[in-house]
Amino acid sequence: MIRHLTCSFLFLSLAAATARADEIRLKNGDRLNGEIIRMEKDRLTVKLPYADDKVRIDWKQVECIASERDLTVELSDYEVLVGPVTCTDGAIQIKSSRAGTSNPISLKELRTVNPATYHGFLTAGGSIATGNTDTKAATLSTLFQVRTKRHRFTVEAKYAYGEADSRTTVRNSLGSLKYDFFTTDKVYTYAQTLLEKDSFANLNLRNTEGLGAGYQFFDDRALSLYAEAGISYFNEDVIVGEDRQDAAGRWAAGLEWEAVPDRLKVFHRQEGTTPPRCPGSRSGLTRGCEFPW
């Protein structure tokens, strides 16, 4: 009797789990049953019961999706609907407890599904070489970013160390905190604080505070490109010499390009400042003027 009840319970549990599985219909006629994790930047991530790793599907190849559980769906106009999703004639309908059942929505109108609000990375590297000169080097860097419709917070830190023949040759670190407020889909204003330290550049500590504006040209899975311009004020504490404080213009640009989908991503970020005016100089470009960078 106990064995019979146990088998019945396992059967019902399996049936319930199967019923709750999400369905993904592809344009080639295939149907997948699993768990929809999220869709962002034209890539649908799905966990299939028979695969160890998550499967990523090109959103353009998806005909429709359906789920008996609540999904968070963000439309192209940034309207957010939460509820079970049904598939109807290549479109979806969302049964929201707040707004009721929606009209059929084309998949082209979906911006994200179950969007992730944060992402980041941590990288570490090092090298050891022996010979005429024994050298060691180590680097560590991390970036963490939280993004919503109007707000983006970015925290970044870096550290580098190197030595040759047991003598330290490189030791510097950096930490920054940045906040972006999007006034439109592409235009944003920013506030940034930056701390830098470099023992071999006579820099005990440099603190930089900046304000400005930026433009997000692209921001999808294949390509991300932005440019910024603003003004910064810095306070520089040097190891030897006189401390300095001044203001300067700031510009920055960043690029991320997925050269090979899910395999290779190329990125480049660059930041620069325009020199402040020197005492007694009208143009700020007087030969022999000392700048703090």
Side-chain angles (χ1 to χ4, degrees):
M1 183 65 180
I2 295 177
R3 181 179 299 176
H4 176 72
L5 290 175
T6 302
C7 293
S8 299
F9 176 76
L10 291 175
F11 176 78
L12 291 174
S13 298
L14 180 60
T18 304
R20 287 195 299 268
D22 304 330
E23 183 181 54
I24 301 94
R25 302 180 188 178
L26 303 181
K27 292 182 178 179
N28 64 2
D30 291 346
R31 294 192 180 191
L32 304 176
N33 291 304
E35 179 187 357
I36 294 175
I37 304 299
R38 68 176 53 89
M39 187 283 288
E40 283 186 313
K41 298 183 177 181
D42 295 328
R43 185 61 57 89
L44 177 65
T45 303
V46 182
K47 181 67 175 71
L48 301 178
Y50 46 82
D52 293 334
D53 297 329
K54 297 175 182 177
V55 177
R56 293 175 174 82
I57 304 170
D58 187 349
W59 185 243
K60 296 178 182 178
Q61 304 304 317
V62 177
E63 178 71 24
C64 197
I65 60 174
S67 176
E68 294 182 5
R69 61 191 179 93
D70 287 354
L71 296 181
T72 301
V73 178
E74 184 180 21
L75 306 182
S76 57
D77 61 357
Y78 291 99
E79 181 183 2
V80 176
L81 299 174
V82 180
V85 177
T86 57
C87 186
T88 170
D89 297 328
I92 65 169
Q93 286 185 295
I94 305 169
K95 187 177 181 180
S96 171
S97 59
R98 183 185 64 179
T101 302
S102 68
N103 293 324
I105 303 172
S106 168
L107 265 64
K108 294 181 180 180
E109 298 182 53
L110 271 61
R111 185 180 179 88
T112 60
V113 177
N114 290 343
T117 57
Y118 62 90
H119 73 274
F121 66 82
L122 174 66
T123 61
S127 65
I128 299 177
T130 59
N132 295 333
T133 302
D134 296 335
T135 62
K136 298 178 181 179
T139 60
L140 179 68
S141 64
T142 182
L143 183 145
F144 183 80
Q145 191 173 91
V146 179
R147 172 71 193 270
T148 63
K149 175 182 176 181
R150 296 297 186 190
H151 312 279
R152 181 169 62 190
F153 297 88
T154 306
V155 179
E156 184 177 10
K158 296 179 181 179
Y159 177 77
Y161 175 82
E163 65 177 50
D165 291 333
S166 301
R167 294 187 303 174
T168 303
T169 56
V170 176
R171 184 165 56 203
N172 57 67
S173 57
L174 174 151
S176 70
L177 175 64
K178 186 167 176 283
Y179 167 67
D180 303 320
F181 176 76
F182 282 80
T183 55
T184 69
D185 289 352
K186 296 183 178 295
V187 178
Y188 62 90
T189 57
Y190 72 83
Q192 181 189 42
T193 181
L194 174 68
L195 296 174
E196 299 173 273
K197 184 179 179 67
D198 192 336
S199 303
F200 290 86
N202 194 37
L203 183 61
N204 187 43
L205 182 66
R206 178 191 292 140
N207 173 227
T208 305
E209 311 288 342
L211 297 171
Y215 190 85
Q216 191 80 46
F217 294 93
F218 304 99
D219 189 19
D220 54 35
R221 175 178 56 84
L223 180 63
S224 175
L225 175 66
Y226 71 87
E228 297 174 348
I231 188 170
S232 295
Y233 174 82
F234 66 87
N235 187 344
E236 192 172 82
D237 177 16
V238 297
I239 300 173
V240 178
E242 184 179 355
D243 297 342
R244 302 164 182 167
Q245 302 86 33
D246 214 323
R250 173 189 176 273
W251 62 268
L255 169 69
E256 286 188 11
W257 174 48
E258 194 175 60
V260 181
D262 297 327
R263 298 289 182 181
L264 176 63
K265 176 172 286 189
V266 180
F267 64 92
H268 176 76
R269 288 188 297 156
Q270 189 164 349
E271 182 175 333
T273 54
T274 58
R277 293 185 60 179
C278 301
S281 168
R282 294 183 179 180
S283 65
L285 300 177
T286 303
R287 185 173 300 174
C289 177
E290 294 184 1
F291 301 123
W293 40 80

